[in-house]
Amino acid sequence: DGGFTDSRYAYWTDPRITPNAWTAISAIATMGLWEGGQMLKARGQDVPAEIRDRIDLGTRWLLQPGRVLRGVNEEIYADAFRIDYLARRVAAKDDPDGRLAAAAAKLVQAAAANQHATGFWAHEYPNAFCTGAMLWALLDAKDAGIEVPEEVLRKGAAALQSARTPDGAYSYSGSAERRKSSVKDSSARMPICEGALLRLSLSSDEDFERACQAFSDNMERIENISRNDFHSDGELGGFFFFHGMFFASEVADMLPDPQAKALKAKMAAMVPSLMELDGSF
């Protein structure tokens, strides 16, 4: 039917979370198919009909009403990844009838309604890493010409700044006053948080480079526990590994060319080494 719905994820608080996880996963997977097609086009190759059909099917699935259970955890990622996918297609002028832009605009409104008074968004609790993820998607939407309220961006940026410590670490939840963190413990979330602030002209090239270097320096340490479903190295948990890898790959091109190439090469070399015997990750 176009959805990627084999995940049994129901970690917190109960199985009602599962549809939201399915929607987030389906958005990433459909976006991957579409971006693969864009790469083929850039090389002068045709996108196979089977892939085009799968992209259309996945997009229809993502836009059907009721894909997200509102008021239940993880809706933030279901919205953020769909916004990002739709914004990329709009920016690439792959939205001939404007339907995708209109759908993205509705999701932006839903994201604005979900923002806490503090400026944070929450997946289970208000935190910097999902706030950075949502700001990134909203900035992509804005760049694609989709209306995003400036107040939403301003409040989100202020929340990220409140979570940041002088050494560039980001609190695990809420502001740094409430709960500080170390650079090692926050290294997987530092690139997306600092990258979002840099896009908003609220960070510096030096601080952003430092954030990406912290992630690179700790990548092996995070990968060491990537199969663990809880915190097993301070605040590092296995669930942060691919979250960190995905968003580091998103922000990498904002680095100076030599650092960008080095970080992307390191990630590209690591990912194939993690494949399980059955081909899964």
Side-chain angles (χ1 to χ4, degrees):
D1 62 358
F4 292 78
T5 56
D6 56 342
S7 170
R8 293 172 293 177
Y9 179 71
Y11 179 68
W12 189 270
T13 52
D14 57 48
R16 290 182 303 162
I17 196 175
T18 305
N20 297 349
W22 285 349
T23 300
I25 291 164
S26 297
I28 296 171
T30 305
M31 180 163 59
L33 288 171
W34 178 79
E35 289 205 332
Q38 294 297 104
M39 292 170 65
L40 290 175
K41 289 180 180 179
R43 296 171 182 170
Q45 298 173 249
D46 293 330
V47 181
E50 181 184 7
I51 300 301
R52 295 199 306 272
D53 291 345
R54 295 289 177 175
I55 293 168
D56 290 343
L57 194 63
T59 304
R60 284 199 298 272
W61 189 94
L62 289 168
L63 298 185
Q64 286 174 357
R67 289 298 177 206
V68 172
L69 191 56
R70 296 293 175 191
V72 177
N73 292 338
E74 306 294 354
E75 62 180 306
I76 171 66
Y77 285 111
D79 286 344
F81 288 128
R82 285 189 296 171
I83 290 170
D84 210 8
Y85 167 53
L86 297 173
R88 291 176 197 215
R89 290 197 54 174
V90 173
K93 303 191 185 310
D94 188 16
D95 181 27
D97 57 5
R99 181 173 55 95
L100 303 185
K106 288 183 179 179
L107 292 173
V108 168
Q109 293 173 2
N114 274 334
Q115 189 177 32
H116 288 221
T118 59
F120 286 104
W121 279 274
H123 75 309
E124 298 172 13
Y125 42 82
N127 62 71
F129 50 89
C130 77
T131 298
M134 178 55 84
L135 280 176
W136 189 263
L138 293 176
L139 288 167
D140 280 355
K142 181 181 177 182
D143 288 350
I146 297 160
E147 184 177 355
V148 177
E150 289 297 326
E151 177 70 2
V152 171
L153 298 176
R154 186 194 65 76
K155 287 171 58 179
L160 283 187
Q161 289 175 307
S162 77
R164 193 181 186 280
T165 59
D167 61 359
Y170 282 82
S171 171
Y172 184 77
S173 60
S175 69
E177 285 186 3
R178 182 173 176 269
R179 178 176 175 177
K180 285 185 170 58
S181 186
S182 70
V183 168
K184 182 269 288 183
D185 282 354
S186 70
S187 56
R189 54 187 175 265
M190 286 170 65
I192 184 59
C193 293
E194 206 69 47
L197 288 178
L198 185 61
R199 286 181 74 178
L200 289 162
S201 301
L202 295 171
S203 180
S204 66
D205 292 339
E206 293 76 16
D207 285 340
F208 174 63
E209 290 171 30
R210 179 172 62 171
C212 291
Q213 188 62 51
F215 174 70
S216 180
D217 290 344
N218 288 283
M219 195 185 300
E220 289 84 0
R221 191 164 184 169
I222 306 168
E223 192 282 316
N224 282 341
I225 57 169
S226 62
R227 290 176 177 81
N228 191 308
D229 68 352
F230 202 64
H231 300 272
S232 52
D233 182 352
E235 287 179 0
L236 296 181
F239 43 83
F240 277 127
F241 176 68
F242 276 115
H243 188 284
M245 291 283 276
F246 178 83
F247 285 112
S249 73
E250 288 284 272
V251 306
D253 283 329
M254 297 169 64
L255 289 166
D257 194 53
Q259 289 99 309
K261 286 181 177 178
L263 180 58
K264 290 192 286 186
K266 185 174 183 179
M267 290 190 287
M270 180 177 279
V271 170
S273 73
L274 306 176
M275 188 179 287
E276 303 293 343
L277 291 175
D278 66 354
S280 66
F281 290 89

